[in-house]
Structures are given as C-alpha cells and as structure tokens.
C-alpha cells in the first residue's frame, strides 16, 4: 500500500517538511490536535540514529563539526572507560521555550515554560560493544524519585532536570548510568525524512479520532510526520503499551534505513542525516568529548546486534494515591532483567523463531490438549481484555482464571471494537508453552501469536468459564522452567517488516 492510503495527509498534521534536503520543519496554518502527546516516545529515534552515525564512522571525518553541534549538559553521570560495558539514559524532552506562543497553540503544547520528559530508555552496550540492548521505561511508571517522593518516572526530569532523571533511573534499575542523551521534540521528523522515510507494518487497524490518522492492517512507507503519528497513537487496544511496541518498530526501521547503502552512499541523504541528528541531541560532557572513541567501537554493529525490550509490569491500571493513572513494575522480574543486562546476558535467543518478524496479520489455531502442558498456571501472569459489550465479563473472567491458579494482577481492560465472538489467547514469540496452558484452561479458546508483551486473553461472547489443567511433572523437584514473566525481547532485525 502507498502511504496515500493512510488517511493522514500532511495537511492534517499541522507540521510540514520543507523542500530542502535537510527536511526543514515549518508549522502549518491549520491547527493540529493532541500535539502535546505527539512528542511522547518519538524523539528516541534521533538518539539511536546518532549511534548509527557513530557506528558507520561518519563522524570520524566530521569531528570538529560534530562536537560543535552537540549541546552539553551536566547530568551527574558516572562516566565510563574507553572500553567496557556502558549504560546510556536516553530522555525525550518536550521543550517549549524555543517556540512562540502561536506555535505552541498550533501544536497544542500549552504555554508552560520549561521542559518535560515524555520518554525514557536505557541503552546498554555490552562489554566488547558488539551488542546493544534497549529497555523502554513506561513514562507512567510509579517509582521513587529521590528527595521528591513517589511519582511517575517522567516527573523526575521536570522536578530536577537531567541530574534527577539519571539519579531516579539508577535507583530504579540498579544500573550505573554512564552517559546521558537528550532529544528534542521536533528532531524526529527531520531524522526520518533525512533517511527517506521508514517502512512499518501494523497487524491491527488504527483509527485515531484525534489526529484522523488511519491505517488498515498492512505494510506502509511513512514520511516523518506520518511516522510520528504512527508511533504516538494510542488508538489501539493496549494504548501506551502498543505505542511502545510501535516506537521500537519505528526505531528498528530507522536503523535499517540509516545503515543501508542508500543512505551511506548518498552524499545528500547522508549529509541530511548527520545534520538532522546532531541538531536534536544534548549529551553529557564526557560523551561529547569521547564521541570518536565510541564511533570506532560501534562501527560493526548491525540490526542483528540491537535488542529491544520493555521493563516487566505487574499492574498496567494502577491508581496512584494522587488519583493519577500509572503502571507498576513487576519488581522481581525487573530486578532479574537488569541483573541480566549488567551481566551482559543476551535477551534474545540466537535461533530466532520463524514468526518473530512482525506481519500484517497474526495466525491463530484452536487450542490443543494433545500436547503435554509444561508451564503451571501459578507461573503465568495473564492480562484480561473484554472483547464484548457484555458488562462485567472481563471481571468474571479474571476471577475464573484466578480460581484455577493463574496470576491476573491488573484490572481487566476493553478492546476496540468490542465485537469478539471467540475467546483468543494472544502471546509473544517464545511464550507458546505458557499460552497453551492458558488456552487449555479456557474451553474453545484460540491461540494466536501477536506483537504483545505478555499473555493476553481477549474474552469473546462464547466464553463459558475455565477449568483446571494438569501440567506435566509439576513438582518442586522438577527442572525449573524460565519464569513466565521474563521480559520479551526482539532484535531490530526481527522488528523490521518483511517485504
């Protein structure tokens, strides 16, 4: 499909890309809607494209220009040796001070001065700098902010700038933060356009009433503005969690495009990428000084070497004491994740499953009881979504699943639309064993692999209840099965859409 089919014309965006090779941005006279949320989670691609530039060695030849373009900040990072493992905090910032009041109104950014953080990711470079792991930290994570009490994690930046953001993430993850990268609001559009757009694929329909952005299931080529809409929309069943998945897909596609010969061998496009990327970044002093050393060490990194995951969650519908809606981390699983990262353990198995790459549609099959179940219900955390208009069906399903031993930590949610007849158990790549246990406990349920972070049950109108299941060798002496709440990770290559 061409992106003309997307239903998201540039005129709807309120942001237009100029005709120069550097993708200059100007504001439309037409109003945009919900532009404040458009900044959330999108600026990360600019920072990761800087890693592409470093890896390609381009900045080696542009050292004076590069260091002069990078903005610097005292972020309170611990620094790092030239070699060895490294953790970088990536923060996306909604900065309004440089925008006029008219521009803020057109972008619906509000009139507050100062800066706000809408995205946080931890980027881990392995000991030999041959592997990169990117962990998304949901912006609504309810955590302790040193000296300020308990708040959403993105509040750390507005309460104390880069230093407090670094301190907060260090406390929450247990990882030392060696370096800091901050990306501004509008840089994302320029970076995507500089590489000629990105290819994305959606397995579900998107119909964002706020931006009028629409996509049917399929694969699309998007420019910077439409990629912005794609990565920012919350108009799917899992809202912010779906948005994180789309952000990781867009970043992967951008890395692929930036590393391709069509960019590195094209002087105009390469110059646009260099200029666009450098203008979006603010980094700590030590990183700015040693950018060339990092360039040399990352030159061989490919999309196979970059893995993405999200911090495990225990409750995606947490109601904070302040009345805010937030999410709670699964602390044991998160602790295990960051320990594995600190130990340089790979999160992605070397032999990736054939179906790991996103496709426009997901296949499903009826649950089979012929194959022995291997994961006990007590080890499985399930998310319930009511796929019907039947009031209370989600709550009843949650209670039924808990009665037969499953963990259901979060309140049930709803799908959009609510027209499901059959009950579907959705699971990410690598979690089929757990999903089979869930499906076996729900007579008539279908199994479906999908781009989701954990096991989900979409309840259909035919739902009739649950039953107890028997798991093979479910005894304390049995060989331990990997924890079901272990994080799901994909490489950038697996995130990239198939042609």
């Amino acid at each position: 499909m061409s992106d003309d089919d997307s239903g998201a014309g540039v005129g709807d965006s309120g942001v237009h890309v100029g005709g120069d090779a550097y993708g200059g941005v100007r504001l439309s006279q037409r109003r945009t809607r919900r532009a404040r949320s458009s900044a959330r989670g999108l600026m990360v691609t600019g920072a990761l494209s800087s890693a592409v530039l470093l890896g390609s060695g381009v900045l080696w030849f542009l050292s004076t220009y590069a260091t002069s373009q990078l903005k610097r900040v005292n972020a309170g990072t611990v620094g790092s040796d030239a070699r060895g493992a490294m953790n970088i905090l990536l923060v996306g910032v909604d900065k309004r001070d440089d925008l006029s009041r008219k521009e803020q109104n057109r972008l619906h950014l509000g009139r507050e001065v100062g800066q706000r953080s809408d995205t946080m990711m931890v980027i881990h470079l392995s000991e030999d700098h041959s592997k990169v792991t990117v962990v998304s930290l949901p912006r609504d994570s309810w955590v302790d902010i040193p000296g300020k009490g308990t708040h959403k994690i993105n509040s750390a930046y507005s309460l104390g700038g880069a230093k407090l953001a670094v301190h907060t993430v260090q406390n929450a993850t247990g990882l030392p933060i060696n370096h800091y990268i901050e990306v501004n609001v509008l840089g994302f559009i320029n970076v995507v356009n500089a590489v000629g757009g990105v290819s994305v694929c959606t397995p579900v329909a998107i119909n964002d009433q706020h931006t009028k952005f629409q996509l049917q299931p399929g694969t699309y080529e998007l420019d910077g503005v439409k990629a912005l809409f794609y990565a920012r929309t919350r108009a799917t069943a899992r809202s912010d969690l779906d948005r994180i998945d789309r952000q990781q897909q867009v970043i992967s596609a951008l890395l692929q495009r930036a590393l391709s010969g069509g960019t590195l061998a094209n002087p105009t496009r390469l110059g646009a990428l260099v200029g666009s990327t450098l203008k979006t970044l603010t980094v700590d002093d030590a990183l700015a000084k040693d950018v060339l050393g990092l360039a040399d060490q990352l030159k061989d990194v490919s999309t196979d070497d970059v893995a993405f995951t999200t911090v495990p969650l225990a409750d995606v519908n947490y109601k904070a004491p302040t009345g805010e809606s937030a999410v709670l981390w699964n602390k044991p699983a998160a602790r295990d994740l960051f320990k594995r990262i600190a130990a340089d353990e790979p999160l992605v198995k070397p032999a990736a499953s054939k179906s790991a790459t996103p496709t426009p549609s997901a296949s499903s099959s009826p649950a089979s009881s012929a194959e022995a179940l291997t994961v006990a219900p007590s080890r499985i955390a399930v998310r319930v979504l009511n796929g019907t208009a039947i009031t209370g069906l989600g709550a009843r399903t949650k209670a039924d699943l808990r009665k037969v031993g499953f963990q259901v930590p979060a309140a049930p949610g709803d799908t959009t639309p609510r027209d499901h007849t059959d009950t579907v158990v959705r699971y990410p790549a690598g979690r089929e064993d757990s999903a089979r246990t869930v499906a076996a406990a729900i007579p008539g349920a279908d199994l479906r692999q999908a781009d989701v972070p954990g096991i989900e049950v979409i309840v259909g109108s035919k739902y009739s209840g649950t039953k107890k299941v028997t798991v093979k060798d479910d005894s304390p002496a049995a060989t331990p099965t990997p924890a079901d709440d272990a994080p799901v990770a994909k490489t950038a290559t697996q995130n990239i859409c198939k042609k």
Side-chain angles (χ1 to χ4, degrees), residues 95-126:
K95 184 179 181 181
R96 309 171 190 180
D97 295 31
D98 295 336
L99 298 176
S100 68
R101 178 169 295 186
K102 186 175 182 180
E103 289 169 334
Q104 291 177 19
N105 289 340
R106 288 172 181 163
L107 291 176
H108 283 199
L109 290 176
R111 298 180 181 178
E112 301 93 337
V113 296
Q115 301 180 133
R116 284 143 293 277
S117 165
D118 281 314
T119 297
M120 285 187 178
M121 290 184 172
V122 174
I123 303 174
H124 174 79
L125 308 185
S126 62

PDB file of all heavy atoms in Angstrom, residues 95-126:
ATOM      1  N   LYS A  95      10.288  20.295  24.858  1.00  0.00           N
ATOM      2  CA  LYS A  95      10.811  21.620  25.151  1.00  0.00           C
ATOM      3  C   LYS A  95      10.006  22.674  24.407  1.00  0.00           C
ATOM      4  O   LYS A  95       9.847  22.607  23.200  1.00  0.00           O
ATOM      5  CB  LYS A  95      12.288  21.713  24.741  1.00  0.00           C
ATOM      6  CG  LYS A  95      12.938  23.041  25.095  1.00  0.00           C
ATOM      7  CD  LYS A  95      14.405  23.049  24.694  1.00  0.00           C
ATOM      8  CE  LYS A  95      15.063  24.373  25.061  1.00  0.00           C
ATOM      9  NZ  LYS A  95      16.483  24.421  24.667  1.00  0.00           N
ATOM     10  N   ARG A  96       9.521  23.683  25.135  1.00  0.00           N
ATOM     11  CA  ARG A  96       8.635  24.682  24.531  1.00  0.00           C
ATOM     12  C   ARG A  96       9.231  26.086  24.523  1.00  0.00           C
ATOM     13  O   ARG A  96       8.684  26.984  23.887  1.00  0.00           O
ATOM     14  CB  ARG A  96       7.311  24.717  25.301  1.00  0.00           C
ATOM     15  CG  ARG A  96       6.694  23.337  25.461  1.00  0.00           C
ATOM     16  CD  ARG A  96       5.510  23.334  26.392  1.00  0.00           C
ATOM     17  NE  ARG A  96       5.095  21.972  26.697  1.00  0.00           N
ATOM     18  CZ  ARG A  96       4.086  21.673  27.492  1.00  0.00           C
ATOM     19  NH1 ARG A  96       3.394  22.635  28.078  1.00  0.00           N
ATOM     20  NH2 ARG A  96       3.764  20.421  27.731  1.00  0.00           N
ATOM     21  N   ASP A  97      10.342  26.276  25.218  1.00  0.00           N
ATOM     22  CA  ASP A  97      10.878  27.626  25.377  1.00  0.00           C
ATOM     23  C   ASP A  97      11.239  28.270  24.040  1.00  0.00           C
ATOM     24  O   ASP A  97      11.173  29.495  23.886  1.00  0.00           O
ATOM     25  CB  ASP A  97      12.130  27.596  26.262  1.00  0.00           C
ATOM     26  CG  ASP A  97      11.798  27.156  27.683  1.00  0.00           C
ATOM     27  OD1 ASP A  97      10.853  26.368  27.840  1.00  0.00           O
ATOM     28  OD2 ASP A  97      12.485  27.587  28.615  1.00  0.00           O
ATOM     29  N   ASP A  98      11.645  27.434  23.057  1.00  0.00           N
ATOM     30  CA  ASP A  98      12.075  27.976  21.774  1.00  0.00           C
ATOM     31  C   ASP A  98      10.916  28.189  20.809  1.00  0.00           C
ATOM     32  O   ASP A  98      11.121  28.622  19.674  1.00  0.00           O
ATOM     33  CB  ASP A  98      13.104  27.039  21.133  1.00  0.00           C
ATOM     34  CG  ASP A  98      14.393  26.964  21.942  1.00  0.00           C
ATOM     35  OD1 ASP A  98      14.682  27.920  22.696  1.00  0.00           O
ATOM     36  OD2 ASP A  98      15.104  25.954  21.827  1.00  0.00           O
ATOM     37  N   LEU A  99       9.696  27.867  21.243  1.00  0.00           N
ATOM     38  CA  LEU A  99       8.531  28.033  20.381  1.00  0.00           C
ATOM     39  C   LEU A  99       7.753  29.281  20.787  1.00  0.00           C
ATOM     40  O   LEU A  99       7.616  29.578  21.968  1.00  0.00           O
ATOM     41  CB  LEU A  99       7.613  26.811  20.480  1.00  0.00           C
ATOM     42  CG  LEU A  99       8.196  25.461  20.029  1.00  0.00           C
ATOM     43  CD1 LEU A  99       7.179  24.351  20.285  1.00  0.00           C
ATOM     44  CD2 LEU A  99       8.579  25.490  18.567  1.00  0.00           C
ATOM     45  N   SER A 100       7.248  29.976  19.801  1.00  0.00           N
ATOM     46  CA  SER A 100       6.416  31.136  20.099  1.00  0.00           C
ATOM     47  C   SER A 100       5.074  30.662  20.648  1.00  0.00           C
ATOM     48  O   SER A 100       4.710  29.488  20.533  1.00  0.00           O
ATOM     49  CB  SER A 100       6.181  31.956  18.825  1.00  0.00           C
ATOM     50  OG  SER A 100       5.361  31.226  17.919  1.00  0.00           O
ATOM     51  N   ARG A 101       4.327  31.594  21.250  1.00  0.00           N
ATOM     52  CA  ARG A 101       3.010  31.226  21.767  1.00  0.00           C
ATOM     53  C   ARG A 101       2.103  30.734  20.649  1.00  0.00           C
ATOM     54  O   ARG A 101       1.337  29.785  20.825  1.00  0.00           O
ATOM     55  CB  ARG A 101       2.376  32.434  22.460  1.00  0.00           C
ATOM     56  CG  ARG A 101       0.963  32.162  22.987  1.00  0.00           C
ATOM     57  CD  ARG A 101       0.472  33.259  23.895  1.00  0.00           C
ATOM     58  NE  ARG A 101       1.264  33.340  25.124  1.00  0.00           N
ATOM     59  CZ  ARG A 101       0.960  34.155  26.129  1.00  0.00           C
ATOM     60  NH1 ARG A 101      -0.094  34.952  26.047  1.00  0.00           N
ATOM     61  NH2 ARG A 101       1.708  34.176  27.219  1.00  0.00           N
ATOM     62  N   LYS A 102       2.225  31.350  19.488  1.00  0.00           N
ATOM     63  CA  LYS A 102       1.408  30.934  18.345  1.00  0.00           C
ATOM     64  C   LYS A 102       1.744  29.500  17.947  1.00  0.00           C
ATOM     65  O   LYS A 102       0.856  28.684  17.657  1.00  0.00           O
ATOM     66  CB  LYS A 102       1.643  31.889  17.174  1.00  0.00           C
ATOM     67  CG  LYS A 102       0.731  31.652  15.976  1.00  0.00           C
ATOM     68  CD  LYS A 102       0.967  32.727  14.924  1.00  0.00           C
ATOM     69  CE  LYS A 102       0.025  32.546  13.738  1.00  0.00           C
ATOM     70  NZ  LYS A 102       0.249  33.591  12.703  1.00  0.00           N
ATOM     71  N   GLU A 103       3.043  29.184  17.942  1.00  0.00           N
ATOM     72  CA  GLU A 103       3.464  27.831  17.591  1.00  0.00           C
ATOM     73  C   GLU A 103       3.006  26.826  18.638  1.00  0.00           C
ATOM     74  O   GLU A 103       2.585  25.714  18.299  1.00  0.00           O
ATOM     75  CB  GLU A 103       4.986  27.794  17.444  1.00  0.00           C
ATOM     76  CG  GLU A 103       5.489  28.525  16.206  1.00  0.00           C
ATOM     77  CD  GLU A 103       6.997  28.698  16.224  1.00  0.00           C
ATOM     78  OE1 GLU A 103       7.589  28.723  17.328  1.00  0.00           O
ATOM     79  OE2 GLU A 103       7.587  28.834  15.135  1.00  0.00           O
ATOM     80  N   GLN A 104       3.098  27.198  19.910  1.00  0.00           N
ATOM     81  CA  GLN A 104       2.638  26.303  20.964  1.00  0.00           C
ATOM     82  C   GLN A 104       1.148  26.017  20.837  1.00  0.00           C
ATOM     83  O   GLN A 104       0.701  24.889  21.026  1.00  0.00           O
ATOM     84  CB  GLN A 104       2.935  26.915  22.336  1.00  0.00           C
ATOM     85  CG  GLN A 104       4.415  26.973  22.685  1.00  0.00           C
ATOM     86  CD  GLN A 104       4.665  27.654  24.011  1.00  0.00           C
ATOM     87  OE1 GLN A 104       3.763  27.782  24.833  1.00  0.00           O
ATOM     88  NE2 GLN A 104       5.887  28.109  24.228  1.00  0.00           N
ATOM     89  N   ASN A 105       0.377  27.048  20.498  1.00  0.00           N
ATOM     90  CA  ASN A 105      -1.059  26.861  20.319  1.00  0.00           C
ATOM     91  C   ASN A 105      -1.336  25.919  19.147  1.00  0.00           C
ATOM     92  O   ASN A 105      -2.199  25.039  19.225  1.00  0.00           O
ATOM     93  CB  ASN A 105      -1.757  28.199  20.087  1.00  0.00           C
ATOM     94  CG  ASN A 105      -1.791  29.052  21.347  1.00  0.00           C
ATOM     95  OD1 ASN A 105      -1.648  28.540  22.453  1.00  0.00           O
ATOM     96  ND2 ASN A 105      -1.970  30.351  21.173  1.00  0.00           N
ATOM     97  N   ARG A 106      -0.611  26.111  18.059  1.00  0.00           N
ATOM     98  CA  ARG A 106      -0.834  25.271  16.877  1.00  0.00           C
ATOM     99  C   ARG A 106      -0.455  23.825  17.147  1.00  0.00           C
ATOM    100  O   ARG A 106      -1.079  22.898  16.610  1.00  0.00           O
ATOM    101  CB  ARG A 106      -0.024  25.808  15.695  1.00  0.00           C
ATOM    102  CG  ARG A 106      -0.573  27.106  15.114  1.00  0.00           C
ATOM    103  CD  ARG A 106       0.381  27.663  14.084  1.00  0.00           C
ATOM    104  NE  ARG A 106      -0.123  28.924  13.540  1.00  0.00           N
ATOM    105  CZ  ARG A 106       0.625  29.786  12.888  1.00  0.00           C
ATOM    106  NH1 ARG A 106       1.915  29.534  12.707  1.00  0.00           N
ATOM    107  NH2 ARG A 106       0.108  30.901  12.420  1.00  0.00           N
ATOM    108  N   LEU A 107       0.547  23.624  17.983  1.00  0.00           N
ATOM    109  CA  LEU A 107       0.986  22.267  18.306  1.00  0.00           C
ATOM    110  C   LEU A 107       0.320  21.720  19.561  1.00  0.00           C
ATOM    111  O   LEU A 107       0.602  20.607  19.976  1.00  0.00           O
ATOM    112  CB  LEU A 107       2.513  22.246  18.489  1.00  0.00           C
ATOM    113  CG  LEU A 107       3.332  22.469  17.223  1.00  0.00           C
ATOM    114  CD1 LEU A 107       4.810  22.520  17.539  1.00  0.00           C
ATOM    115  CD2 LEU A 107       3.048  21.369  16.212  1.00  0.00           C
ATOM    116  N   HIS A 108      -0.575  22.511  20.180  1.00  0.00           N
ATOM    117  CA  HIS A 108      -1.255  22.108  21.411  1.00  0.00           C
ATOM    118  C   HIS A 108      -0.263  21.711  22.489  1.00  0.00           C
ATOM    119  O   HIS A 108      -0.482  20.763  23.243  1.00  0.00           O
ATOM    120  CB  HIS A 108      -2.228  20.955  21.140  1.00  0.00           C
ATOM    121  CG  HIS A 108      -3.492  21.407  20.478  1.00  0.00           C
ATOM    122  ND1 HIS A 108      -4.630  20.647  20.499  1.00  0.00           N
ATOM    123  CD2 HIS A 108      -3.795  22.528  19.767  1.00  0.00           C
ATOM    124  CE1 HIS A 108      -5.590  21.267  19.837  1.00  0.00           C
ATOM    125  NE2 HIS A 108      -5.092  22.417  19.384  1.00  0.00           N
ATOM    126  N   LEU A 109       0.841  22.426  22.585  1.00  0.00           N
ATOM    127  CA  LEU A 109       1.842  22.135  23.601  1.00  0.00           C
ATOM    128  C   LEU A 109       1.566  22.862  24.905  1.00  0.00           C
ATOM    129  O   LEU A 109       2.223  22.614  25.905  1.00  0.00           O
ATOM    130  CB  LEU A 109       3.236  22.540  23.093  1.00  0.00           C
ATOM    131  CG  LEU A 109       3.810  21.681  21.965  1.00  0.00           C
ATOM    132  CD1 LEU A 109       5.131  22.256  21.504  1.00  0.00           C
ATOM    133  CD2 LEU A 109       3.988  20.246  22.434  1.00  0.00           C
ATOM    134  N   GLY A 110       0.628  23.778  24.915  1.00  0.00           N
ATOM    135  CA  GLY A 110       0.385  24.562  26.117  1.00  0.00           C
ATOM    136  C   GLY A 110       1.383  25.714  26.205  1.00  0.00           C
ATOM    137  O   GLY A 110       2.271  25.859  25.373  1.00  0.00           O
ATOM    138  N   ARG A 111       1.252  26.538  27.237  1.00  0.00           N
ATOM    139  CA  ARG A 111       2.080  27.747  27.341  1.00  0.00           C
ATOM    140  C   ARG A 111       3.059  27.701  28.506  1.00  0.00           C
ATOM    141  O   ARG A 111       3.694  28.697  28.826  1.00  0.00           O
ATOM    142  CB  ARG A 111       1.167  28.969  27.456  1.00  0.00           C
ATOM    143  CG  ARG A 111       0.290  29.150  26.220  1.00  0.00           C
ATOM    144  CD  ARG A 111      -0.612  30.362  26.315  1.00  0.00           C
ATOM    145  NE  ARG A 111      -1.437  30.496  25.136  1.00  0.00           N
ATOM    146  CZ  ARG A 111      -2.351  31.447  24.966  1.00  0.00           C
ATOM    147  NH1 ARG A 111      -2.555  32.345  25.915  1.00  0.00           N
ATOM    148  NH2 ARG A 111      -3.060  31.503  23.858  1.00  0.00           N
ATOM    149  N   GLU A 112       3.175  26.548  29.148  1.00  0.00           N
ATOM    150  CA  GLU A 112       4.114  26.448  30.257  1.00  0.00           C
ATOM    151  C   GLU A 112       5.539  26.553  29.729  1.00  0.00           C
ATOM    152  O   GLU A 112       5.869  26.023  28.675  1.00  0.00           O
ATOM    153  CB  GLU A 112       3.946  25.118  31.001  1.00  0.00           C
ATOM    154  CG  GLU A 112       2.565  24.910  31.578  1.00  0.00           C
ATOM    155  CD  GLU A 112       1.669  24.138  30.622  1.00  0.00           C
ATOM    156  OE1 GLU A 112       1.950  24.156  29.397  1.00  0.00           O
ATOM    157  OE2 GLU A 112       0.700  23.539  31.092  1.00  0.00           O
ATOM    158  N   VAL A 113       6.375  27.244  30.485  1.00  0.00           N
ATOM    159  CA  VAL A 113       7.790  27.304  30.130  1.00  0.00           C
ATOM    160  C   VAL A 113       8.487  26.099  30.748  1.00  0.00           C
ATOM    161  O   VAL A 113       7.917  25.375  31.554  1.00  0.00           O
ATOM    162  CB  VAL A 113       8.448  28.609  30.629  1.00  0.00           C
ATOM    163  CG1 VAL A 113       7.828  29.801  29.951  1.00  0.00           C
ATOM    164  CG2 VAL A 113       8.319  28.732  32.151  1.00  0.00           C
ATOM    165  N   GLY A 114       9.739  25.894  30.360  1.00  0.00           N
ATOM    166  CA  GLY A 114      10.492  24.773  30.891  1.00  0.00           C
ATOM    167  C   GLY A 114      10.394  23.556  29.997  1.00  0.00           C
ATOM    168  O   GLY A 114       9.970  23.627  28.856  1.00  0.00           O
ATOM    169  N   GLN A 115      10.822  22.414  30.537  1.00  0.00           N
ATOM    170  CA  GLN A 115      10.890  21.195  29.756  1.00  0.00           C
ATOM    171  C   GLN A 115      10.279  20.043  30.537  1.00  0.00           C
ATOM    172  O   GLN A 115      10.316  20.005  31.756  1.00  0.00           O
ATOM    173  CB  GLN A 115      12.356  20.863  29.423  1.00  0.00           C
ATOM    174  CG  GLN A 115      13.054  21.960  28.645  1.00  0.00           C
ATOM    175  CD  GLN A 115      14.491  21.600  28.329  1.00  0.00           C
ATOM    176  OE1 GLN A 115      14.932  21.753  27.222  1.00  0.00           O
ATOM    177  NE2 GLN A 115      15.233  21.116  29.305  1.00  0.00           N
ATOM    178  N   ARG A 116       9.706  19.109  29.787  1.00  0.00           N
ATOM    179  CA  ARG A 116       9.125  17.914  30.371  1.00  0.00           C
ATOM    180  C   ARG A 116       9.652  16.696  29.624  1.00  0.00           C
ATOM    181  O   ARG A 116       9.865  16.745  28.418  1.00  0.00           O
ATOM    182  CB  ARG A 116       7.594  17.959  30.264  1.00  0.00           C
ATOM    183  CG  ARG A 116       6.929  18.879  31.257  1.00  0.00           C
ATOM    184  CD  ARG A 116       5.737  19.578  30.664  1.00  0.00           C
ATOM    185  NE  ARG A 116       6.131  20.511  29.624  1.00  0.00           N
ATOM    186  CZ  ARG A 116       6.558  21.750  29.886  1.00  0.00           C
ATOM    187  NH1 ARG A 116       6.628  22.179  31.125  1.00  0.00           N
ATOM    188  NH2 ARG A 116       6.905  22.564  28.914  1.00  0.00           N
ATOM    189  N   SER A 117       9.833  15.594  30.354  1.00  0.00           N
ATOM    190  CA  SER A 117      10.282  14.352  29.739  1.00  0.00           C
ATOM    191  C   SER A 117       9.081  13.459  29.460  1.00  0.00           C
ATOM    192  O   SER A 117       8.239  13.253  30.331  1.00  0.00           O
ATOM    193  CB  SER A 117      11.259  13.625  30.668  1.00  0.00           C
ATOM    194  OG  SER A 117      11.431  12.294  30.252  1.00  0.00           O
ATOM    195  N   ASP A 118       8.993  12.953  28.246  1.00  0.00           N
ATOM    196  CA  ASP A 118       7.898  12.066  27.894  1.00  0.00           C
ATOM    197  C   ASP A 118       8.365  10.661  27.536  1.00  0.00           C
ATOM    198  O   ASP A 118       7.547   9.788  27.301  1.00  0.00           O
ATOM    199  CB  ASP A 118       7.103  12.637  26.715  1.00  0.00           C
ATOM    200  CG  ASP A 118       6.156  13.736  27.165  1.00  0.00           C
ATOM    201  OD1 ASP A 118       5.475  13.534  28.174  1.00  0.00           O
ATOM    202  OD2 ASP A 118       6.108  14.792  26.525  1.00  0.00           O
ATOM    203  N   THR A 119       9.665  10.446  27.448  1.00  0.00           N
ATOM    204  CA  THR A 119      10.192   9.137  27.081  1.00  0.00           C
ATOM    205  C   THR A 119      11.486   8.873  27.827  1.00  0.00           C
ATOM    206  O   THR A 119      12.319   9.770  27.956  1.00  0.00           O
ATOM    207  CB  THR A 119      10.471   9.057  25.561  1.00  0.00           C
ATOM    208  OG1 THR A 119       9.251   9.206  24.862  1.00  0.00           O
ATOM    209  CG2 THR A 119      11.099   7.726  25.185  1.00  0.00           C
ATOM    210  N   MET A 120      11.656   7.647  28.311  1.00  0.00           N
ATOM    211  CA  MET A 120      12.929   7.236  28.897  1.00  0.00           C
ATOM    212  C   MET A 120      13.269   5.832  28.422  1.00  0.00           C
ATOM    213  O   MET A 120      12.416   4.942  28.434  1.00  0.00           O
ATOM    214  CB  MET A 120      12.880   7.255  30.424  1.00  0.00           C
ATOM    215  CG  MET A 120      12.935   8.647  31.042  1.00  0.00           C
ATOM    216  SD  MET A 120      13.073   8.550  32.839  1.00  0.00           S
ATOM    217  CE  MET A 120      13.174  10.299  33.250  1.00  0.00           C
ATOM    218  N   MET A 121      14.504   5.656  28.005  1.00  0.00           N
ATOM    219  CA  MET A 121      15.018   4.343  27.632  1.00  0.00           C
ATOM    220  C   MET A 121      16.426   4.202  28.177  1.00  0.00           C
ATOM    221  O   MET A 121      17.179   5.181  28.233  1.00  0.00           O
ATOM    222  CB  MET A 121      15.055   4.164  26.116  1.00  0.00           C
ATOM    223  CG  MET A 121      13.707   4.044  25.431  1.00  0.00           C
ATOM    224  SD  MET A 121      13.907   3.723  23.664  1.00  0.00           S
ATOM    225  CE  MET A 121      12.217   3.381  23.182  1.00  0.00           C
ATOM    226  N   VAL A 122      16.777   2.989  28.583  1.00  0.00           N
ATOM    227  CA  VAL A 122      18.152   2.689  28.970  1.00  0.00           C
ATOM    228  C   VAL A 122      18.791   1.898  27.830  1.00  0.00           C
ATOM    229  O   VAL A 122      18.253   0.869  27.399  1.00  0.00           O
ATOM    230  CB  VAL A 122      18.214   1.867  30.274  1.00  0.00           C
ATOM    231  CG1 VAL A 122      19.656   1.442  30.567  1.00  0.00           C
ATOM    232  CG2 VAL A 122      17.665   2.682  31.433  1.00  0.00           C
ATOM    233  N   ILE A 123      19.900   2.404  27.310  1.00  0.00           N
ATOM    234  CA  ILE A 123      20.637   1.737  26.239  1.00  0.00           C
ATOM    235  C   ILE A 123      21.898   1.136  26.843  1.00  0.00           C
ATOM    236  O   ILE A 123      22.725   1.855  27.407  1.00  0.00           O
ATOM    237  CB  ILE A 123      21.009   2.731  25.120  1.00  0.00           C
ATOM    238  CG1 ILE A 123      19.757   3.397  24.563  1.00  0.00           C
ATOM    239  CG2 ILE A 123      21.784   2.030  24.006  1.00  0.00           C
ATOM    240  CD1 ILE A 123      20.040   4.506  23.562  1.00  0.00           C
ATOM    241  N   HIS A 124      22.021  -0.177  26.756  1.00  0.00           N
ATOM    242  CA  HIS A 124      23.180  -0.878  27.320  1.00  0.00           C
ATOM    243  C   HIS A 124      24.093  -1.357  26.197  1.00  0.00           C
ATOM    244  O   HIS A 124      23.649  -2.055  25.278  1.00  0.00           O
ATOM    245  CB  HIS A 124      22.730  -2.079  28.148  1.00  0.00           C
ATOM    246  CG  HIS A 124      23.865  -2.930  28.640  1.00  0.00           C
ATOM    247  ND1 HIS A 124      24.641  -2.586  29.727  1.00  0.00           N
ATOM    248  CD2 HIS A 124      24.371  -4.110  28.172  1.00  0.00           C
ATOM    249  CE1 HIS A 124      25.568  -3.519  29.919  1.00  0.00           C
ATOM    250  NE2 HIS A 124      25.419  -4.450  28.985  1.00  0.00           N
ATOM    251  N   LEU A 125      25.360  -0.977  26.260  1.00  0.00           N
ATOM    252  CA  LEU A 125      26.374  -1.500  25.344  1.00  0.00           C
ATOM    253  C   LEU A 125      27.133  -2.598  26.067  1.00  0.00           C
ATOM    254  O   LEU A 125      27.576  -2.419  27.199  1.00  0.00           O
ATOM    255  CB  LEU A 125      27.340  -0.397  24.910  1.00  0.00           C
ATOM    256  CG  LEU A 125      26.731   0.898  24.346  1.00  0.00           C
ATOM    257  CD1 LEU A 125      27.828   1.820  23.847  1.00  0.00           C
ATOM    258  CD2 LEU A 125      25.738   0.593  23.241  1.00  0.00           C
ATOM    259  N   SER A 126      27.295  -3.734  25.412  1.00  0.00           N
ATOM    260  CA  SER A 126      27.951  -4.872  26.038  1.00  0.00           C
ATOM    261  C   SER A 126      29.431  -4.581  26.285  1.00  0.00           C
ATOM    262  O   SER A 126      29.985  -3.578  25.818  1.00  0.00           O
ATOM    263  CB  SER A 126      27.814  -6.112  25.147  1.00  0.00           C
ATOM    264  OG  SER A 126      28.460  -5.905  23.901  1.00  0.00           O
TER     265      SER A 126
END
